[in-house]
Amino acid sequence: MTDRIVLASDHAAIALRQAVAAHLAAKGFEVDDIGPTTPESVPYPQQGEAAARKVAAGEARFGIILCGTGQGIMMAANKIKGIRCGVCSDTFSARMIRQHNDANMLSIGARVVGEGLALDIVDAFVSAEFEGGRHAPRVDMIKALEA
């Protein structure tokens, strides 16, 4: 799997998304930042869907999406088959959604967390590995709900 990470946001989270993109690039990840780049209003469902489709298609290992709260864009992403996305405002949750839920997308609320914490959350998410074992059957149950 590629070390590519797709990033998207709505207009409320442009600055934080760009900070996350620079942070990931500095760590050696290939970043696919699909915007937006201007402050005009952009519907978060479209941005969440666009990023999720890239992850679902295997074009990126992970997706990181942002909006004001992280909630709406996460809801849109989770409508795409194969996506397991969680909103995180702490590092413990970010690590656990990878380790226990095999999440492939992370959502962050730009109006909820500051840049320093957001970067720590991103690091916890991208560095954690799915543990499998007792968690694998539960993830399979989640996947079965998409059928």
Side-chain angles (χ1 to χ4, degrees):
M1 178 63 78
T2 178
D3 274 341
R4 177 180 291 163
I5 299 176
V6 62
L7 297 173
S9 73
D10 69 358
H11 53 281
I14 293 171
L16 185 55
R17 189 195 74 244
Q18 291 171 337
V20 169
H23 179 75
L24 289 169
K27 290 188 169 283
F29 289 97
E30 182 180 343
V31 176
D32 181 7
D33 186 345
I34 61 173
T37 57
T38 61
E40 289 80 28
S41 182
V42 176
Y44 61 80
Q46 291 176 348
Q47 294 300 104
E49 176 191 7
R53 291 203 183 278
K54 285 182 172 274
V55 173
E59 296 174 27
R61 180 177 179 200
F62 296 127
I64 300 176
I65 52 179
L66 305 93
C67 68
T69 64
Q71 299 292 344
I73 200 165
M74 176 271 303
M75 291 177 192
N78 276 325
K79 297 295 183 182
I80 305 304
K81 185 175 182 174
I83 298 303
R84 289 173 308 286
C85 182
V87 177
C88 295
S89 55
D90 62 89
T91 57
F92 177 78
S93 297
R95 188 172 49 257
M96 297 312 287
I97 65 171
R98 284 286 307 125
Q99 290 178 342
H100 290 192
N101 310 119
D102 198 18
N104 50 14
M105 291 188 71
L106 168 68
S107 184
I108 299 174
R111 295 179 179 148
V112 179
V113 300
E115 182 178 320
L117 178 55
L119 299 180
D120 287 346
I121 290 167
V122 166
D123 287 344
F125 180 81
V126 300
S127 66
E129 295 292 332
F130 179 50
E131 293 178 352
R134 67 186 170 99
H135 305 293
R138 296 171 188 154
V139 172
D140 288 341
M141 292 171 80
I142 293 169
K143 292 176 183 177
L145 295 172
E146 296 175 337

